[in-house]
Amino acid sequence: DTTVKQNPRYKLARVGKPVNLICSQTMNHDTMYWYQKKPNQAPKLLLFYYDKILNREADTFEKFQSSRPNNSFCSLYIGSAGLEYSAMYLCASSRTGRTQYFGPGTRLLVL
Amino acid sequence: GDSVTQTEGQVALSEEDFLTIHCNYSASGYPALFWYVQYPGEGPQFLFRASRDKEKGSSRGFEATYDKGTTSFHLRKASVQESDSAVYYCALGPYQGGRALIFGTGTTVSVSP
């Protein structure tokens, strides 16, 4: 089973409010990723956890937070949503250096 | 930095047509190359990968050959079906020193019966 689950599937948020997205996998993968996908753009890596170590991309360092309380779960947290955060957020997981498997995504709309 | 270019943004075909999606990459190292497919309402699904020059990846009738000389990994299918309508992404990585996939912008394939 290569299932990655994401909750919620759709999220409506107000400008300035926090947003928390959840991802889970049961494949015992050591690495979990968050990508952002906007229309007509390639999915863009925001951050990833290798085991308990968080790695954030330099250009999104201050915009997104994440936690991984155990091997199976990973969250993506936006402290204060802005209009520019409206996008599809994709979670993926993998064993180190191996194929990444994606969840169905969470579509976030900020108004 | 490393990048992936997919030439076609949208492709419209009829069933049994031949499909080609061009993918070229630029990388400082020797990355693995991937094709992912995304159906409506779902996340990208792994199609196949190739890790070395001249290696061919294939799945579900799709295939692509890693060509280091032309820095390409073009996706081909001999006879498409309506169920192949989806967005196709070419990607590179992960490789030593990094773990991210770098995606192309995707190609939307529409197949009519």
Side-chain angles (χ1 to χ4, degrees), chain B residues 53-102:
Chain B
D53 192 24
K54 301 298 185 276
E55 180 181 357
K56 184 168 81 173
S58 64
S59 176
R60 310 183 212 173
F62 293 90
E63 63 178 40
T65 300
Y66 194 136
D67 190 329
K68 197 168 188 293
T70 59
T71 61
S72 66
F73 193 54
H74 305 318
L75 182 69
R76 295 183 168 90
K77 186 174 185 181
S79 177
V80 295
Q81 301 301 310
E82 190 177 4
S83 57
D84 294 324
S85 297
V87 180
Y88 293 81
Y89 291 99
C90 183
L92 67 81
Y95 50 101
Q96 192 170 15
R99 302 181 193 278
L101 281 174
I102 296 173

Side-chain angles (χ1 to χ4, degrees), chain B:
Chain B
D2 295 355
S3 64
V4 175
T5 301
Q6 291 179 237
T7 310
E8 298 87 359
Q10 295 190 352
V11 175
L13 298 168
S14 300
E15 283 193 327
E16 300 184 11
D17 280 353
F18 192 96
L19 170 69
T20 300
I21 301 175
H22 295 95
C23 172
N24 289 91
Y25 70 91
S26 172
S28 56
Y30 200 152
L33 299 174
F34 300 79
W35 278 101
Y36 280 79
V37 57
Q38 185 173 19
Y39 300 101
E42 300 180 12
Q45 291 180 19
F46 170 72
L47 198 52
F48 57 80
R49 67 181 281 172
S51 301
R52 58 187 181 276
D53 192 24
K54 301 298 185 276
E55 180 181 357
K56 184 168 81 173
S58 64
S59 176
R60 310 183 212 173
F62 293 90
E63 63 178 40
T65 300
Y66 194 136
D67 190 329
K68 197 168 188 293
T70 59
T71 61
S72 66
F73 193 54
H74 305 318
L75 182 69
R76 295 183 168 90
K77 186 174 185 181
S79 177
V80 295
Q81 301 301 310
E82 190 177 4
S83 57
D84 294 324
S85 297
V87 180
Y88 293 81
Y89 291 99
C90 183
L92 67 81
Y95 50 101
Q96 192 170 15
R99 302 181 193 278
L101 281 174
I102 296 173
F103 285 89
T105 51
T107 298
T108 301
V109 174
S110 301
V111 181
S112 56

